[in-house]
Short mmCIF file of all heavy atoms in Angstrom, two decimals:
data_model
loop_
_atom_site.label_atom_id
_atom_site.label_comp_id
_atom_site.label_asym_id
_atom_site.label_seq_id
_atom_site.Cartn_x
_atom_site.Cartn_y
_atom_site.Cartn_z
N PHE A 130 66.88 -112.50 0.34
CA PHE A 130 68.04 -111.79 0.88
C PHE A 130 68.06 -110.34 0.39
O PHE A 130 68.49 -109.44 1.13
CB PHE A 130 69.34 -112.50 0.49
CG PHE A 130 69.53 -113.84 1.17
CD1 PHE A 130 70.22 -114.85 0.54
CD2 PHE A 130 69.01 -114.08 2.43
CE1 PHE A 130 70.41 -116.09 1.16
CE2 PHE A 130 69.19 -115.31 3.06
CZ PHE A 130 69.89 -116.31 2.42
N ALA A 131 67.59 -110.11 -0.83
CA ALA A 131 67.49 -108.73 -1.32
C ALA A 131 66.55 -107.92 -0.43
O ALA A 131 66.79 -106.74 -0.16
CB ALA A 131 66.99 -108.72 -2.77
N ARG A 132 65.50 -108.57 0.08
CA ARG A 132 64.58 -107.90 0.99
C ARG A 132 65.27 -107.54 2.29
O ARG A 132 65.03 -106.47 2.87
CB ARG A 132 63.37 -108.79 1.25
CG ARG A 132 62.44 -108.93 0.04
CD ARG A 132 61.36 -109.97 0.26
NE ARG A 132 60.66 -109.73 1.51
CZ ARG A 132 60.22 -110.68 2.32
NH1 ARG A 132 60.41 -111.97 2.00
NH2 ARG A 132 59.58 -110.38 3.41
N VAL A 133 66.15 -108.40 2.76
CA VAL A 133 66.93 -108.10 3.97
C VAL A 133 67.82 -106.88 3.71
O VAL A 133 67.94 -105.98 4.55
CB VAL A 133 67.78 -109.31 4.40
CG1 VAL A 133 68.71 -108.94 5.56
CG2 VAL A 133 66.88 -110.48 4.78
N TYR A 134 68.43 -106.84 2.53
CA TYR A 134 69.27 -105.70 2.16
C TYR A 134 68.46 -104.40 2.24
O TYR A 134 68.92 -103.39 2.77
CB TYR A 134 69.80 -105.87 0.74
CG TYR A 134 71.01 -106.76 0.57
CD1 TYR A 134 71.36 -107.73 1.51
CD2 TYR A 134 71.81 -106.64 -0.56
CE1 TYR A 134 72.47 -108.53 1.33
CE2 TYR A 134 72.93 -107.44 -0.75
CZ TYR A 134 73.25 -108.38 0.19
OH TYR A 134 74.37 -109.18 0.00
N VAL A 135 67.26 -104.42 1.69
CA VAL A 135 66.41 -103.23 1.65
C VAL A 135 66.10 -102.75 3.06
O VAL A 135 66.15 -101.54 3.35
CB VAL A 135 65.13 -103.51 0.85
CG1 VAL A 135 64.08 -102.41 1.06
CG2 VAL A 135 65.45 -103.66 -0.64
N GLN A 136 65.77 -103.67 3.96
CA GLN A 136 65.47 -103.29 5.34
C GLN A 136 66.69 -102.69 6.05
O GLN A 136 66.57 -101.73 6.82
CB GLN A 136 64.93 -104.50 6.12
CG GLN A 136 63.61 -105.03 5.58
CD GLN A 136 62.55 -103.95 5.47
OE1 GLN A 136 62.35 -103.17 6.40
NE2 GLN A 136 61.86 -103.92 4.34
N LYS A 137 67.86 -103.26 5.78
CA LYS A 137 69.08 -102.71 6.38
C LYS A 137 69.37 -101.31 5.87
O LYS A 137 69.79 -100.43 6.63
CB LYS A 137 70.27 -103.63 6.08
CG LYS A 137 70.25 -104.96 6.83
CD LYS A 137 71.51 -105.74 6.53
CE LYS A 137 71.59 -107.00 7.37
NZ LYS A 137 72.89 -107.70 7.23
N ILE A 138 69.14 -101.10 4.58
CA ILE A 138 69.37 -99.77 4.00
C ILE A 138 68.41 -98.75 4.61
O ILE A 138 68.79 -97.64 4.96
CB ILE A 138 69.22 -99.83 2.47
CG1 ILE A 138 70.39 -100.62 1.86
CG2 ILE A 138 69.14 -98.42 1.86
CD1 ILE A 138 70.20 -101.00 0.40
N ALA A 139 67.14 -99.14 4.75
CA ALA A 139 66.15 -98.24 5.34
C ALA A 139 66.53 -97.86 6.77
O ALA A 139 66.41 -96.69 7.17
CB ALA A 139 64.76 -98.88 5.31
N ALA A 140 67.01 -98.82 7.53
CA ALA A 140 67.41 -98.55 8.91
C ALA A 140 68.60 -97.60 8.95
O ALA A 140 68.66 -96.69 9.79
CB ALA A 140 67.74 -99.86 9.62
N LEU A 141 69.56 -97.80 8.07
CA LEU A 141 70.73 -96.91 8.02
C LEU A 141 70.30 -95.49 7.69
O LEU A 141 70.69 -94.53 8.39
CB LEU A 141 71.72 -97.40 6.96
CG LEU A 141 72.85 -96.43 6.63
CD1 LEU A 141 73.84 -96.34 7.78
CD2 LEU A 141 73.55 -96.82 5.34
N LEU A 142 69.51 -95.32 6.64
CA LEU A 142 69.11 -93.98 6.22
C LEU A 142 68.29 -93.28 7.31
O LEU A 142 68.48 -92.09 7.57
CB LEU A 142 68.32 -94.05 4.91
CG LEU A 142 69.06 -94.63 3.70
CD1 LEU A 142 68.17 -94.61 2.47
CD2 LEU A 142 70.37 -93.90 3.44
N ALA A 143 67.41 -94.04 7.95
CA ALA A 143 66.59 -93.46 9.02
C ALA A 143 67.45 -93.01 10.19
O ALA A 143 67.16 -91.99 10.83
CB ALA A 143 65.53 -94.46 9.48
#
Side-chain angles (χ1 to χ4, degrees):
F130 291 149
R132 289 172 52 217
V133 174
Y134 278 22
V135 167
Q136 296 307 314
K137 288 184 174 187
I138 290 167
L141 169 71
L142 299 181

